[in-house]
Amino acid sequence: MGGPLLTPRERAVLAAVERRWNNSEIAAELFISVRTVESHIASLRRKLRADTRADLISAALALRDASVHPPANPLRGRGRDLAAIAGLLASGRWVTLAGVGGVGKTRLALEYARDQSERVPLVVELEHAQPSEVAARITRTLGLELPPGAELTDTLGVALSAQDYLLVLDNADRVGRATTDAVRRLLRRAPDLRVLVTSRTPLGDPDEVVHSVRPLASAGVDSPATALLLDRLRTAGTAVADADRATADRICARLDGLPLALELAASVARHLPLAAIEARLVADVGSLDRASPDGRHRSLATAFEWTWDLLTAEDQDVLRRLAALPGTFDFELAAAVAGRGSNGAALRLLDQSLLIPVSADPPRLRMLAVMREFVLARTDPGLIDEVRRKHTEHTAVIARRFAGQARTDASPEAGRTSAILCPEVNAALRWALSTRHPSALDLATALSIGVEQYGADVDSITALVRASTDAAVLEEADADDLLALGNAIAFVDVDRVTALGDRALALATHGGGSRRAAHQLAGLAAAYRDDRKAALAHLAEAERLAAERGEDWELGAIRQARGIALNSGPDADLPGALEAFSAAMRAYARADDLTHVNNVRYMMASAAVETDPRMARVWAAECRAYAEAVFNEHEVAHARIVQATLGLEEAGDLDELVDTFRRLGDLRCLNRALILSADAARDSRTRISRLAGGLEIAVTSGDHGREAATLRALAHAHHDAGDSAAALGVLDRLASLTTADAASAACPEDLRAAYRAEHALV
């Protein structure tokens, strides 16, 4: 506890003085004479510049406080943890900080100990201790000399009763049972003692209160994880430009906010730029390493090996299987891939912080990405394939069941279930497509219904587009399956929906599924192509067939598609579109599909923006209120884009709306949001850049109507910027989509004559 000038015997005497023993008591304890005690005290006064016994006690406390050495760099994101520890130790006597290796348990314990004002901190390192050495290490840290024949814990108990101590037992993982035994005895003998233990797993005593230490939050601007990484980069002498902040954020997210991983990344940054580190992390998190300090914190692998070696063979096997899962999981899925008896192992792994909870209701778990890669490197590829197959088959059963009731369940609970299930179905579908597993079609149709009812995400839409071009899926699909796929990707790839519609018609002609579904899909594709005549013809036949069978939901979808067709193109029939939309709402309501009732309400609001802005505003507000009540982010975004088109303040930030549609994978609405964002831009360069992005989106989605609208806006933007040549070039491209006359009509007035003359238009 003292500095290097004190001899071991002087430290023992000083510790006894700190406990307020007189010279005779010290002599009896240390088996030395009173005169020898007096000699040591005289030496201590000289070395510590203490005039009185009280000064010696103060010096002993100061030396012990100085023995707590957390790093000098700032602690980030742990305010709530420190407050929680203080509260737990105020109401209880023993707190264990449990967490995965590298999460910062030791740092947190040292910070709490250093900031103590009411208790004397006593830090005991147990990392390399043997079970028989736990009490002895506490004794040495206290500066005690054990009399011959004395009971160790009795002596410790007396010593720890002399002051209000905080006993910090660090890294108790490998000596958990011995630590538990020692703490239990010391708490009985020292009534005012408080104990703070750090361990990867709780020690399991009934009196122990566990505080789980999680990785730092890594989401959002100025997250604690990013703050820690930037601190360590500065300490390492690495300057971080503003342009690198986004890269730093992504690195922190990739490393799950694990402090050790962030420290290692900062160490590597002395040699590599952040962009290069990010690229290496995508391929191999294990590339993070450093020359010092040697030991379990030199790299992530050495930190995790410490825990891995403590696992039983059974727990290692279960951990390998759970690591092979593509995302989060519940206990049912864990049992499906690891066996019915695996839930006990999963709970043990949760205790050891090798699994972390994602949600409590319903219970859902995950593995840190960095830990997952560590475990997968120790997993046979054949086992990984076995787990992915079981995951796919298990997910297909759940997805079919969920999709079967999705049309009529608009509850918030169903939306939350969809948010959990959608990434799982997406991952299972990708694996099924890559391995030609027979569940691919079932997964694709279930995912299609899920994203259509509860909102999309770009990963799921990408997987569905891939499924819509997969030869094996198309070979197995009937017209109803193709319709489900087409409905889900209609706002992403109109050309692909058209191809699916043509295939459905061909199949239906030869008895391969529903003729109603085939005409419905062909009509929807034509509506999005602005081919009104073909759309209305197909939809009329589909409506006749659906009416014959009393298919209310299908009638709603068909009438909604008719409204889209009537509202498209320069000669839109708005009254007809609103009438079709109203009929669609009534049919959806009869089918109890309130989600699509609300979706049609959004389309009505969008259609009425220019002709009846008052009603558009009312419908958009109603749509948004309902969508927010059921937590449907996609429909909230739909309502906001109408509000933005109306110029309403409640629409919110346009750039954030652009990001939302990009994340949802809704390319049609992303194009609209980019055009609105361009209109709001303060300078021509930004406006042209955003319109160019919107044009690329329209081309990618095969939406020629949106492409033409974006080209018209881009021509005006170039003209306003004084670039007539660029404006005329854009008009030429517009003419290739429509006609030269239509392109001329889109010209600003002072360019129209030049354009008409150049192209010999009369």
Side-chain angles (χ1 to χ4, degrees), residues 20-42:
R20 292 173 171 77
W21 288 2
N22 60 38
N23 289 0
S24 297
E25 291 170 326
I26 297 172
E29 181 192 4
L30 301 181
F31 284 85
I32 57 178
S33 68
V34 173
R35 184 178 296 276
T36 302
V37 173
E38 291 172 349
S39 175
H40 286 311
I41 289 177

Side-chain angles (χ1 to χ4, degrees), residues 362 398 402 405 409 411-423 454:
I398 294 175
F402 184 73
Q405 49 83 39
D409 190 351
S411 66
E413 292 75 17
R416 285 191 285 269
T417 300
S418 175
I420 293 171
L421 186 58
C422 200
Y454 301 109

Side-chain angles (χ1 to χ4, degrees), residues 336-348:
V337 301
R340 281 291 161 192
S342 64
N343 281 345
L347 289 171
R348 290 193 297 273

Side-chain angles (χ1 to χ4, degrees), residues 28-29 31 145-155:
E29 181 192 4
F31 284 85
E145 289 191 10
L146 190 65
E151 168 60 40
L152 187 59
T153 50
D154 288 340
T155 303

Side-chain angles (χ1 to χ4, degrees), residues 314-326:
E314 178 191 359
D315 288 356
Q316 286 182 352
D317 179 68
V318 171
L319 192 61
R320 287 188 178 102
R321 292 173 180 274
L322 298 180
L325 291 170

